[in-house]
Coordinates of all heavy atoms in Angstrom, one line a residue:
Chain O
Y806 N 105.7 -84.2 -63.0 CA 104.6 -84.9 -63.5 C 103.5 -85.1 -62.5 O 102.3 -85.2 -62.8 CB 105.0 -86.3 -64.0 CG 105.7 -86.1 -65.4 CD1 107.0 -86.4 -65.5 CD2 105.0 -85.6 -66.4 CE1 107.6 -86.3 -66.8 CE2 105.6 -85.4 -67.7 CZ 106.9 -85.8 -67.8 OH 107.5 -85.6 -69.0
S807 N 103.9 -85.1 -61.2 CA 102.9 -85.3 -60.2 C 101.9 -84.2 -60.2 O 100.8 -84.3 -59.7 CB 103.5 -85.5 -58.8 OG 104.2 -84.3 -58.5
V808 N 102.3 -83.1 -60.7 CA 101.3 -82.0 -60.8 C 100.1 -82.4 -61.6 O 99.0 -82.0 -61.4 CB 102.0 -80.7 -61.4 CG1 101.0 -79.6 -61.6 CG2 103.2 -80.3 -60.6
F809 N 100.4 -83.1 -62.7 CA 99.3 -83.5 -63.6 C 98.8 -84.9 -63.3 O 98.3 -85.5 -64.2 CB 99.8 -83.4 -65.0 CG 100.4 -82.0 -65.3 CD1 101.8 -81.9 -65.4 CD2 99.6 -80.9 -65.5 CE1 102.3 -80.6 -65.7 CE2 100.1 -79.7 -65.7 CZ 101.5 -79.6 -65.8
S810 N 99.1 -85.4 -62.1 CA 98.8 -86.8 -61.9 C 97.3 -87.1 -61.9 O 96.9 -88.1 -62.4 CB 99.4 -87.3 -60.6 OG 98.7 -86.6 -59.5
T811 N 96.5 -86.2 -61.5 CA 95.0 -86.6 -61.3 C 94.3 -86.8 -62.7 O 93.7 -87.8 -62.8 CB 94.3 -85.5 -60.5 OG1 94.9 -84.2 -60.7 CG2 94.5 -85.9 -59.0
P812 N 94.5 -85.9 -63.7 CA 93.8 -86.2 -64.9 C 94.6 -87.3 -65.6 O 95.8 -87.3 -65.7 CB 93.8 -84.9 -65.7 CG 94.9 -84.1 -65.1 CD 95.1 -84.6 -63.7
K813 N 93.9 -88.3 -66.2 CA 94.6 -89.4 -66.7 C 95.4 -89.0 -68.0 O 96.5 -89.5 -68.2 CB 93.6 -90.5 -67.1 CG 92.9 -91.1 -65.9 CD 93.8 -91.9 -65.1 CE 93.3 -92.4 -63.8 NZ 92.1 -92.6 -63.3
A814 N 94.7 -88.2 -68.8 CA 95.4 -87.8 -70.0 C 96.3 -86.6 -69.7 O 96.0 -85.4 -69.9 CB 94.4 -87.4 -71.1
A815 N 97.5 -86.9 -69.2 CA 98.4 -85.9 -68.7 C 99.1 -85.3 -69.9 O 99.7 -85.9 -70.7 CB 99.4 -86.5 -67.7
P816 N 99.0 -83.9 -70.0 CA 99.8 -83.3 -71.1 C 101.2 -83.3 -70.7 O 101.7 -82.4 -70.1 CB 99.2 -81.9 -71.1 CG 98.6 -81.7 -69.8 CD 98.2 -83.0 -69.2
V817 N 101.9 -84.3 -71.2 CA 103.3 -84.5 -70.8 C 104.2 -83.4 -71.3 O 105.1 -83.1 -70.6 CB 103.7 -85.9 -71.3 CG1 105.2 -86.1 -70.9 CG2 102.8 -86.9 -70.7
K818 N 103.9 -82.9 -72.4 CA 104.8 -81.9 -73.0 C 104.9 -80.6 -72.2 O 105.9 -80.0 -72.3 CB 104.3 -81.6 -74.4 CG 104.4 -82.8 -75.4 CD 105.1 -82.3 -76.7 CE 105.5 -83.5 -77.5 NZ 104.4 -84.4 -77.9
M819 N 103.9 -80.3 -71.4 CA 103.9 -79.0 -70.7 C 104.9 -79.0 -69.6 O 104.9 -79.9 -68.8 CB 102.6 -78.6 -70.2 CG 102.0 -77.5 -71.0 SD 100.2 -77.3 -70.8 CE 100.0 -77.3 -69.1
P820 N 105.8 -78.0 -69.5 CA 106.7 -78.0 -68.3 C 106.0 -77.5 -67.1 O 105.0 -76.7 -67.2 CB 107.8 -77.0 -68.8 CG 107.0 -76.0 -69.7 CD 106.0 -76.8 -70.4
S821 N 106.5 -77.9 -66.0 CA 106.0 -77.4 -64.7 C 106.5 -76.0 -64.5 O 107.6 -75.6 -65.0 CB 106.3 -78.3 -63.6 OG 107.7 -78.1 -63.3
T822 N 105.8 -75.2 -63.7 CA 106.1 -73.9 -63.5 C 107.5 -73.8 -62.8 O 108.3 -72.9 -63.0 CB 105.1 -73.2 -62.6 OG1 103.8 -73.7 -62.9 CG2 105.0 -71.7 -62.8
A823 N 107.7 -74.7 -61.9 CA 109.0 -74.7 -61.2 C 110.2 -74.8 -62.1 O 111.2 -74.0 -62.0 CB 109.0 -75.8 -60.1
D824 N 110.0 -75.7 -63.0 CA 111.1 -75.9 -64.0 C 111.3 -74.6 -64.8 O 112.4 -74.2 -65.1 CB 110.8 -77.1 -64.9 CG 110.9 -78.4 -64.1 OD1 111.7 -78.3 -63.1 OD2 110.3 -79.4 -64.6
L825 N 110.1 -74.1 -65.2 CA 110.2 -72.9 -66.0 C 110.9 -71.8 -65.3 O 111.8 -71.1 -65.9 CB 108.7 -72.5 -66.3 CG 108.5 -71.2 -67.2 CD1 109.0 -71.5 -68.6 CD2 107.1 -70.9 -67.3
Y826 N 110.5 -71.6 -64.1 CA 111.1 -70.5 -63.3 C 112.6 -70.8 -63.1 O 113.4 -69.9 -63.2 CB 110.5 -70.5 -61.9 CG 109.2 -69.8 -61.9 CD1 108.4 -69.7 -60.8 CD2 108.7 -69.2 -63.1 CE1 107.2 -69.1 -60.8 CE2 107.4 -68.6 -63.1 CZ 106.7 -68.5 -61.9 OH 105.5 -67.9 -61.9
R827 N 112.9 -72.1 -62.9 CA 114.3 -72.4 -62.7 C 115.1 -72.1 -64.0 O 116.2 -71.5 -63.9 CB 114.5 -73.9 -62.4 CG 115.7 -74.1 -61.4 CD 115.8 -75.5 -61.0 NE 114.7 -76.0 -60.3 CZ 113.9 -77.0 -60.7 NH1 114.1 -77.6 -61.8 NH2 112.8 -77.3 -60.0
T828 N 114.5 -72.4 -65.1 CA 115.2 -72.2 -66.3 C 115.4 -70.7 -66.5 O 116.4 -70.2 -67.0 CB 114.4 -72.7 -67.5 OG1 113.6 -73.8 -67.1 CG2 115.3 -73.1 -68.6
L829 N 114.3 -69.9 -66.2 CA 114.4 -68.5 -66.4 C 115.2 -67.8 -65.3 O 115.3 -66.6 -65.2 CB 113.0 -67.9 -66.5 CG 112.2 -68.3 -67.7 CD1 110.8 -67.8 -67.5 CD2 112.8 -67.7 -69.0
H830 N 115.7 -68.6 -64.4 CA 116.5 -68.1 -63.3 C 115.8 -67.2 -62.4 O 116.3 -66.3 -61.8 CB 117.8 -67.4 -63.8 CG 118.8 -68.4 -64.3 ND1 119.7 -69.0 -63.4 CD2 119.0 -68.9 -65.5 CE1 120.4 -69.9 -64.2 NE2 120.0 -69.9 -65.4
L831 N 114.5 -67.5 -62.3 CA 113.7 -66.7 -61.3 C 113.8 -67.2 -59.9 O 113.5 -66.6 -59.0 CB 112.2 -66.7 -61.8 CG 112.0 -65.8 -63.0 CD1 110.5 -65.9 -63.5 CD2 112.3 -64.3 -62.7
I832 N 114.2 -68.5 -59.8 CA 114.4 -69.1 -58.5 C 115.8 -69.6 -58.5 O 116.2 -70.3 -59.5 CB 113.4 -70.1 -58.1 CG1 113.3 -71.2 -59.1 CG2 112.1 -69.5 -57.8 CD1 112.4 -72.3 -58.7
P833 N 116.6 -69.4 -57.5 CA 118.0 -69.9 -57.5 C 118.1 -71.4 -57.4 O 117.2 -72.1 -57.0 CB 118.6 -69.2 -56.2 CG 117.4 -69.0 -55.3 CD 116.3 -68.7 -56.2
E834 N 119.2 -71.9 -57.9 CA 119.4 -73.3 -58.0 C 119.4 -74.0 -56.7 O 119.0 -75.2 -56.6 CB 120.8 -73.5 -58.7 CG 120.7 -74.1 -60.1 CD 119.9 -73.2 -61.0 OE1 120.4 -72.0 -61.2 OE2 118.9 -73.6 -61.5
S835 N 119.8 -73.4 -55.7 CA 120.0 -74.1 -54.4 C 118.6 -74.4 -53.8 O 118.6 -75.0 -52.8 CB 120.8 -73.3 -53.5 OG 120.2 -72.0 -53.4
R836 N 117.6 -73.9 -54.4 CA 116.2 -74.1 -53.8 C 115.9 -75.5 -53.7 O 116.4 -76.3 -54.5 CB 115.2 -73.4 -54.6 CG 115.0 -71.9 -54.3 CD 114.0 -71.8 -53.1 NE 113.8 -70.4 -52.8 CZ 114.2 -69.8 -51.7 NH1 115.0 -70.5 -50.8 NH2 114.0 -68.6 -51.4
L837 N 115.0 -75.9 -52.8 CA 114.6 -77.3 -52.6 C 114.0 -77.8 -53.9 O 113.2 -77.1 -54.6 CB 113.6 -77.4 -51.5 CG 114.1 -77.0 -50.1 CD1 113.0 -76.9 -49.2 CD2 115.1 -78.1 -49.7
I838 N 114.3 -79.0 -54.2 CA 113.9 -79.6 -55.4 C 112.3 -79.8 -55.3 O 111.6 -79.8 -56.3 CB 114.6 -80.9 -55.7 CG1 116.1 -80.7 -55.7 CG2 114.1 -81.5 -57.0 CD1 116.9 -81.9 -55.4
F839 N 111.9 -80.0 -54.1 CA 110.5 -80.4 -54.0 C 109.6 -79.2 -53.9 O 108.5 -79.3 -53.4 CB 110.3 -81.2 -52.7 CG 111.1 -82.4 -52.7 CD1 112.4 -82.5 -52.1 CD2 110.7 -83.5 -53.4 CE1 113.1 -83.6 -52.2 CE2 111.4 -84.7 -53.4 CZ 112.6 -84.7 -52.8

Side-chain angles (χ1 to χ4, degrees):
Chain O
Y806 281 116
S807 65
V808 176
F809 305 104
S810 65
T811 33
K813 298 290 177 12
V817 178
K818 291 225 167 61
M819 254 166 45
S821 74
T822 328
D824 289 337
L825 182 67
Y826 283 174
R827 215 179 296 116
T828 331
L829 294 172
H830 287 274
L831 287 174
I832 52 176
E834 249 57 62
S835 56
R836 273 275 182 253
L837 294 171
I838 304 158
F839 299 97

